[in-house]
Amino acid sequence: MNRKTGRNDPCPCGSGRKYKHCCQRQGRAARRSEATLQEALAHHRAGDLAAAESLYQKVLSAESNHPVALHYSGILAHQRGNVSVAIDLIGRALAIRPNDAEAHFNLGTILQQQGELRAAVRRYRDALRLAPEAVEAHINLGNTLKDLGETDEALECYRRAVSIRPDDAVTQFNFGNFCRDLGHPGEAVDHYRSAIRIRPEFAEAHNNLGNALKDLGDIDEALGCYRQALVVRPDYAEAHFNLGNALRERGDIDGALQCYRTALSIRPDYADAYTNMLFVYAYHGALAPQDYLGLARGWERACVPEPERAAARGRVFDRSPLAGRRVRLGYVSGDFRTHAVSYFVEQLFAHHDRTRFVVFAYSTSVERDAVTARLQRLVEHWVPVAGVPDRALRDRIDSDRIDVLVDLSGHTGHSRQGVFARRAAPVQAHYLGYMASTGLSEMDYWIGDDILTPPESDAQYSEQIWRLPRVWVAYEGKRDAPVPAGRTAVEDGTVWIGGFNHLAKLTPATFALWARVLHALPQAKLLLKTKALAEPANRERILNVMAGHGIAAGRLDLRDISLTPDWPSHMACYDGLDIALDPVGGIAGGTTSCDALWMGVPVVTLMGDRMASRMTASMLNALGREDWIARTESEYIEKVHDLAADARGRSALRFELRGQMAQSPLCDTRGLAVSLEAAYLDMAERWQRNHIH
């Protein structure tokens, strides 16, 4: 039986004081405070923050250590953006009432949003110790552990959440998000379908189901999911954005751009939609360089509040002189995994001089694979920052006392342009990962070379171009690539032209030019091989486009990568290609051009007026094969024609080109590291001369 509280017992209110000194003597005041508190909570729930704040203060004026008023005042402070005040108030509430599971949870949520992941984990665990069935705490703990890379524990959190609420659509939805983030789209699909079965009008679940299906290569069903999400919620900006991404993969560039514009009309500060719009314009060469630059400059105005941009312009850094210490160098990327960017980055990390540089890698994606593990071993400081807000990541980078911060993403996936826009380091530079200007006023340099970014292209960039005295990348020949095999002569003299570039690089201008090449070479056939050709719709589209240019289907061989399950077998396919054709009108080949050359296949490129169309030209220049660089479409056709006519020369190249590459600057990975290190040091010294007196 419950007994009546005695005068000398602890007060039930949780204050820690004896009842005779607390509620017995202050019962009337306590009842008044309770009424005021309930009124405050009602205003808070209704969104009237000013009234709620006033009433919370009234309660705290009467009882400064009222734990509930402190707790909810902290939540209100967080809603107003006063994070440090929020953390202090909720911390004070917990010091008074440590068994408040909700307060532990809310403090954990704030800490998680600030990137204080370990501290957030402790708070979520405290909440679950007090309330083991709190599903939201299990989910948030799972998300935080996932961001920390502790995926096994995170998975257990999600399983526990689903076991508590198996018929809850939101729980199934969150489990789907977790599976997709870990790179398991098939499992994600199952959970999203469960969420939709429970709640058919769940727009977010339809949208994310589309994302998982797109990951699995099922673009048709993904498109249907996005459209269903928009039937449920026509103003759903994320669904418009994802529909645009799927249309872009289908080759519907105009449709994709319209979706991004619609998303931005709903959410003008939608950074990802703006980023993808910029990417499409740059990747496909769909805008004149100056028009693109104007649009790129608008990203930070739309996506970073003016007070934060003003603060970035005025940021002051405390850095000691460089003499006698190592330069602290940071790389930021979402592509520290199997990716074209990481192929080049891995060689760079392996050759950095650790007696002169301390290397930090800030990984902005939760995706991990064998490449991730290798990269992590090559740097002194591996910092997973997926999910960390831009301001918190900026402060983390500053606390690491980085001298030179290098962006490897630009406006691509998992980009953190918001960190650079807020000025995280004294020197900020873009390198490698993007094909145009970032447009950021706080990005100091854009690293290129004389061919990639000649002086006449300076006006295309908001950054200062830093030209390396050599080709801007280095290709370390892939050891698992097979030795090139000689082409077996065929009776009809067929010459196979084409390439293995991503389908998105094959613009209408590319197909038009390649059709002209085929008309000029009746003995030629076109071989294309890429992942997207697994979809019948993509194959049909290409056949129709080429038919429109007068090229019969019998002259095309369209293959998808499923025919070559591993890398050596993929590379061996180059044995069936006589001449590689670089795409035109958008972005040229990168690693694909290098792969072709490594397998002894000559590459013909058309050098354009912007960086995106000059990558292969820069590589060929470093290889000493300027004769494969065309300046006009007619010259492009002529060079392909000449190579096709020289069967003996091409046969010799099969066995000679790899050795020539290995001895050229294009394969000098150590030379690239030395050149970049000299650039980083020079950049840091310039900053110090101007800022340290």
Side-chain angles (χ1 to χ4, degrees):
M1 295 177 62
N2 292 329
R3 67 181 181 84
K4 186 175 180 180
T5 302
R7 289 168 51 83
N8 292 313
D9 290 332
C11 183
C13 75
S15 67
R17 290 173 291 183
K18 291 186 177 181
Y19 184 57
K20 67 180 179 180
H21 298 305
C22 189
C23 291
Q24 185 189 45
R25 295 178 60 185
Q26 301 176 28
R28 193 172 301 166
R31 286 193 293 274
R32 285 197 298 269
S33 289
E34 179 62 23
T36 304
L37 178 63
Q38 292 304 316
E39 186 180 356
L41 292 170
H43 283 292
H44 200 163
R45 285 190 291 269
D48 188 349
L49 301 188
E53 183 175 31
S54 175
L55 291 166
Y56 288 141
Q57 289 305 313
K58 186 176 180 180
V59 173
L60 291 169
S61 294
E63 188 176 346
S64 61
N65 287 327
H66 194 294
V68 178
L70 286 169
H71 175 191
Y72 284 98
S73 291
I75 294 173
L76 191 149
H78 182 245
Q79 289 175 291
R80 291 189 181 280
N82 299 322
V83 176
S84 60
V85 173
I87 292 172
D88 176 66
L89 288 169
I90 301 177
R92 286 170 56 193
L94 283 167
I96 298 164
R97 193 163 63 173
N99 291 335
D100 187 340
E102 183 186 2
H104 283 292
F105 173 81
N106 287 331
L107 184 53
T109 301
I110 295 171
L111 292 166
Q112 181 185 5
Q113 291 172 1
Q114 290 304 113
E116 299 291 338
L117 302 185
R118 289 294 176 194
V121 165
R122 289 193 293 272
R123 292 299 176 178
Y124 291 139
R125 291 197 192 284
D126 284 339
L128 288 167
R129 176 175 49 79
L130 297 164
E133 303 295 293
V135 169
E136 290 77 10
H138 283 291
I139 290 172
N140 280 21
L141 176 58
N143 287 333
T144 310
L145 291 168
K146 176 194 68 179
D147 289 343
L148 286 166
E150 298 173 12
T151 54
D152 289 342
E153 286 189 74
L155 181 60
E156 287 305 312
C157 291
Y158 275 95
R159 285 175 176 157
R160 178 63 178 146
V162 170
S163 71
I164 296 169
R165 289 189 197 163
D167 296 323
D168 182 75
V170 173
T171 303
Q172 294 285 356
F173 172 76
N174 283 321
F175 204 167
N177 292 342
F178 172 78
C179 293
R180 182 168 179 262
D181 284 345
L182 288 187
H184 304 304
E187 295 175 52
V189 165
D190 293 339
H191 289 290
Y192 292 139
R193 291 197 194 282
S194 293
I196 291 168
R197 190 164 51 250
I198 297 164
R199 192 199 301 175
E201 299 300 294
F202 196 164
E204 291 83 359
H206 285 289
N207 176 72
N208 287 19
L209 174 59
N211 289 337
L213 290 166
K214 186 163 76 71
D215 292 343
L216 292 168
D218 191 345
I219 302 298
D220 281 340
E221 193 172 356
L223 288 167
C225 291
Y226 300 137
R227 288 174 174 138
Q228 182 58 39
L230 290 169
V231 168
V232 177
R233 259 179 60 193
D235 63 346
Y236 188 6
E238 287 79 4
H240 286 288
F241 167 74
N242 288 319
L243 178 59
N245 292 339
L247 291 173
R248 178 169 64 85
E249 289 207 13
R250 266 292 168 81
D252 184 357
I253 304 307
D254 291 338
L257 289 170
Q258 183 55 54
C259 287
Y260 298 146
R261 293 189 200 101
T262 301
L264 287 165
S265 71
I266 298 167
R267 277 179 50 194
D269 62 347
Y270 193 169
D272 286 344
Y274 206 132
T275 281
N276 280 25
M277 180 174 66
L278 289 174
F279 176 86
V280 168
Y281 277 124
Y283 195 92
H284 296 278
L287 282 179
Q290 285 305 311
D291 292 335
Y292 167 83
L293 180 58
L295 194 65
R297 288 184 185 276
W299 184 93
E300 64 184 14
R301 292 194 296 271
C303 304
V304 182
E306 169 54 27
E308 297 200 45
R309 285 183 277 131
R313 293 191 291 271
R315 278 177 67 78
V316 176
F317 294 92
D318 175 23
R319 297 290 184 269
S320 59
L322 295 172
R325 71 172 179 88
R326 295 189 292 168
V327 176
R328 297 175 75 82
L329 176 61
Y331 290 96
V332 182
S333 178
D335 298 321
F336 290 140
R337 52 191 168 83
T338 301
H339 190 278
V341 167
S342 280
Y343 172 75
F344 292 110
V345 168
E346 184 172 355
Q347 313 311 321
L348 176 60
F349 282 5
H351 288 89
H352 267 316
D353 183 350
R354 299 312 162 81
T355 67
R356 302 172 62 211
F357 291 86
V358 184
V359 181
F360 291 72
Y362 298 93
S363 178
T364 64
S365 170
V366 297
E367 294 183 57
R368 290 182 60 89
D369 58 18
V371 174
T372 312
R374 293 201 304 268
L375 290 169
Q376 186 169 348
R377 290 193 294 268
L378 290 172
V379 298
E380 290 174 79
H381 301 277
W382 179 264
V383 189
V385 295
V388 178
D390 286 343
R391 280 181 291 177
L393 179 51
R394 175 203 62 194
D395 293 342
R396 165 63 197 264
I397 291 169
D398 188 16
S399 70
D400 287 335
R401 304 186 66 76
I402 298 298
D403 296 299
V404 179
L405 187 67
V406 183
D407 169 41
L408 296 172
S409 295
H411 292 288
T412 65
H414 305 291
S415 170
R416 299 307 296 268
Q417 298 302 285
V419 174
F420 288 86
R422 290 169 171 83
R423 177 62 73 173
V427 177
Q428 301 190 147
H430 174 77
Y431 174 62
L432 186 63
Y434 193 54
M435 73 296 293
S437 174
T438 65
L440 301 184
S441 56
E442 298 300 320
M443 193 71 79
D444 303 305
Y445 301 103
W446 204 103
I447 300 172
D449 63 42
D450 287 337
I451 302 297
L452 188 76
T453 50
E456 58 266 28
S457 70
D458 283 2
Q460 299 177 13
Y461 296 85
S462 59
E463 307 89 346
Q464 178 182 340
I465 299 298
W466 191 288
R467 295 179 183 86
L468 299 178
R470 49 151 292 137
V471 62
W472 95 111
V473 292
Y475 178 91
E476 186 167 86
K478 296 176 178 176
R479 297 179 182 87
D480 56 352
V483 175
R487 284 274 285 122
T488 303
V490 291
E491 290 183 4
D492 62 0
T494 299
V495 175
W496 283 98
I497 61 176
F500 304 159
N501 281 287
H502 193 288
L503 188 61
K505 291 189 176 185
L506 308 188
T507 64
T510 296
F511 287 119
L513 179 56
W514 289 358
R516 290 176 61 192
V517 172
L518 288 166
H519 283 303
L521 287 171
Q523 76 275 32
K525 292 185 178 181
L526 184 68
L527 169 62
L528 302 179
K529 179 176 179 291
T530 189
K531 178 181 178 180
L533 290 177
E535 281 201 59
N538 285 331
R539 295 197 298 273
E540 183 179 358
R541 177 170 63 86
I542 292 172
L543 291 172
N544 289 338
V545 167
M546 295 304 281
H549 290 297
I551 303 300
R555 298 186 69 188
L556 277 68
D557 184 354
L558 307 180
R559 306 181 191 177
D560 72 86
I561 61 173
S562 66
L563 301 174
T564 50
D566 56 36
W567 187 254
S569 61
H570 165 75
M571 292 292 277
C573 287
Y574 281 103
D575 291 337
L577 192 65
D578 292 297
I579 304 164
L581 304 181
D582 209 26
V584 302
I587 186 170
T591 50
T592 308
S593 295
C594 289
D595 289 344
L597 295 168
W598 192 247
M599 293 302 296
V601 180
V603 180
V604 175
T605 189
L606 176 61
M607 185 165 64
D609 63 350
R610 64 197 80 187
M611 178 269 178
S613 60
R614 301 173 73 93
M615 294 191 297
T616 299
S618 178
M619 294 169 173
L620 291 175
N621 180 74
L623 184 56
R625 298 311 308 232
E626 296 89 345
D627 53 319
W628 296 339
I629 303 173
R631 270 72 179 176
T632 66
E633 290 192 352
S634 295
E635 190 178 349
Y636 184 102
I637 296 169
E638 181 182 336
K639 289 183 180 296
V640 178
H641 186 279
D642 290 346
L643 282 165
D646 185 12
R648 181 174 298 178
R650 286 188 283 104
S651 179
L653 280 171
R654 288 279 173 189
F655 306 103
E656 297 172 358
L657 195 53
R658 182 176 293 189
Q660 294 170 8
M661 278 185 74
Q663 298 302 313
S664 76
L666 183 55
C667 288
D668 182 11
T669 53
R670 177 60 189 151
L672 173 64
V674 169
S675 184
L676 279 168
E677 287 171 352
Y680 297 149
L681 184 59
D682 198 354
M683 291 173 188
E685 288 175 341
R686 289 188 185 190
W687 180 84
Q688 292 217 335
R689 283 196 298 272
N690 292 327
H691 294 86
I692 296 180
H693 304 286

